Amino acid sequence: MGTAAAPGSTPAVILYHVPPSFYSQVARLMLVEKGVAFEPRAVVPGPPNFGTYAPWYMRLNPMGTVPTLILDDEVLDDSRTILEVVERRFDRPTLRPHDADAQAQVDRWVEDAYQISERVLAYGSGRMRTMGRRVNDGRRRAVLTWREKTPDMASIYDAKLADLDQFMTDAADDATVRAQVQGLHDKLDTLDATLDGRAFVVGDSYTLADVIWTVTVARKIMMGDDPFAHRPHLRAWFDRMRARPSFDRADVWTRFKPHKMLPIALREFRRHLSIAAALVALLGAALAYLR
Ligand SMILES: N[C@@H](CCC(=O)N[C@@H](CS)C(=O)NCC(=O)O)C(=O)O
């Protein structure tokens, strides 16, 4: 992942991310499309270590979410900010057209995508609800533990607790989930109509609107939905987006890829495995002594 840049032409760029995360994929696709070389570093907002809630990360990103992009001295803790700042700081290729009308259209499509709460769609869906609730319970526990250990960061952790509580309420509320599903459905209909006779979401070149909607449609496919039923123009556009080298380079997911998580999971469990190994060794020693 990441692209090679001419030596000396690109500042040091670090992306904290996790492979399946929706918003991490947005950041990755943006960086790849812009030709910005970056160093990916996995940090997991889930079990067993809930790494994004550790103080060092919460100091970078007070919401404890991925992605976070370090761009020289700038810390960008939100994918939308990443889209804006990367677009501004790396001028070629231009993904926000110069024409004012096209610019407004791109901004509207980006805004529409960010109106969708991907976390409510994922954690509120029938299949994921119970597991999602467990993950969020674990996140709450991790946040409470770190709050206890770092009293100077209590207000940051309190804000995160409030965020998690709202997230859990929304994902458990059928009406909220239904409204999100319907909202996305309507936008996909509009997108399909917009793409009739067009190669890209706005105008005749690839823009930020294509970045965010590529990942949005890919996520629908990954969740087992068919976004293309009665939407032929959307399908044709997505096929084109998928054929771009950036799609694989940025590792946009249309299906679960457990093998991508395996090295990260092994690393995450290393501490637990060594504790288990130490316990087994102790038990062995105790048994030997008892004999
Ligand atoms: N507004 C943030 C949202 C990021 C986000 O929700 N990321 C998810 C993974 S896709 C996450 O880290 N969730 C953990 C949490 O909500 O605490 C952005 O656009 O970067």
Side-chain angles (χ1 to χ4, degrees):
M1 214 184 302
T3 54
S9 67
T10 309
V13 185
I14 297 168
L15 181 72
Y16 291 103
H17 79 130
V18 71
S21 139
F22 177 88
Y23 297 102
S24 298
Q25 291 178 52
V26 172
R28 295 197 303 256
L29 186 55
M30 178 65 183
L31 289 166
V32 173
E33 281 286 350
K34 291 292 281 187
V36 179
F38 63 97
E39 182 190 326
R41 291 191 190 165
V43 51
V44 184
N49 298 324
F50 297 91
T52 59
Y53 309 108
W56 74 269
Y57 190 80
M58 293 286 279
R59 283 193 191 99
L60 294 175
N61 181 327
M63 275 292 115
T65 52
V66 277
T68 299
L69 187 72
I70 313 289
L71 201 49
D72 290 339
D73 50 346
E74 269 194 279
V75 178
L76 312 173
D77 65 3
D78 176 85
S79 65
R80 194 167 182 180
T81 315
I82 293 171
L83 291 180
E84 279 161 20
V85 176
V86 169
E87 177 57 18
R88 206 172 51 233
R89 287 194 47 179
F90 300 87
D91 48 1
R92 295 251 172 90
T94 303
L95 300 191
R96 193 166 175 266
H98 295 300
D99 169 71
D101 181 49
Q103 224 171 65
Q105 286 181 52
V106 168
D107 293 348
R108 209 168 321 121
W109 278 112
V110 171
E111 171 62 25
D112 277 355
Y114 277 97
Q115 289 292 320
I116 299 160
S117 174
E118 291 295 337
R119 67 181 191 175
V120 168
L121 281 176
Y123 283 60
S125 78
R127 266 169 296 152
M128 292 276 291
R129 217 177 244 202
T130 311
M131 200 174 81
R133 166 109 217 158
R134 280 200 202 114
V135 171
N136 273 333
D137 282 339
R139 286 175 173 156
R140 259 194 131 267
R141 280 194 298 275
V143 168
L144 283 168
T145 304
W146 283 116
R147 186 191 187 284
E148 190 94 336
K149 287 185 180 164
T150 43
D152 60 310
M153 292 178 69
S155 60
I156 293 178
Y157 282 113
D158 284 342
K160 184 61 204 178
L161 280 176
D163 174 64
L164 283 172
D165 289 343
Q166 187 60 53
F167 178 7
M168 289 163 95
T169 305
D170 289 346
D173 182 50
D174 289 333
T176 305
V177 177
R178 258 201 316 273
Q180 283 290 331
V181 171
Q182 189 58 47
L184 175 53
H185 203 274
D186 293 347
K187 277 167 195 160
L188 289 176
D189 283 344
T190 312
L191 187 54
D192 181 61
T194 303
L195 285 165
D196 185 357
R198 251 200 219 174
F200 301 98
V201 177
V202 177
D204 53 11
S205 64
Y206 189 93
T207 67
L208 299 176
D210 297 289
V211 171
I212 185 82
W213 281 95
T214 293
V215 183
T216 303
V217 172
R219 172 52 57 111
K220 281 262 319 143
I221 299 170
M222 190 184 95
M223 296 301 287
D225 300 325
D226 178 8
F228 305 128
H230 314 295
R231 296 188 187 113
H233 311 299
L234 185 71
R235 181 193 294 274
W237 164 83
F238 188 75
D239 286 346
R240 287 192 298 276
M241 298 300 111
R242 191 179 217 158
R244 293 172 77 85
S246 62
F247 194 91
D248 287 337
R249 256 183 233 157
D251 192 21
V252 178
W253 287 34
T254 50
R255 60 189 162 81
F256 286 95
K257 301 179 187 175
H259 63 283
K260 294 265 175 169
M261 284 306 288
L262 194 64
I264 298 169
L266 285 175
R267 194 198 64 194
E268 293 279 300
F269 276 104
R270 207 171 41 206
R271 190 161 56 93
H272 301 259
L273 288 176
S274 48
I275 292 170
L279 284 174
V280 169
L282 268 175
L283 195 66
L287 287 176
Y289 179 76
L290 284 176
R291 260 190 316 161

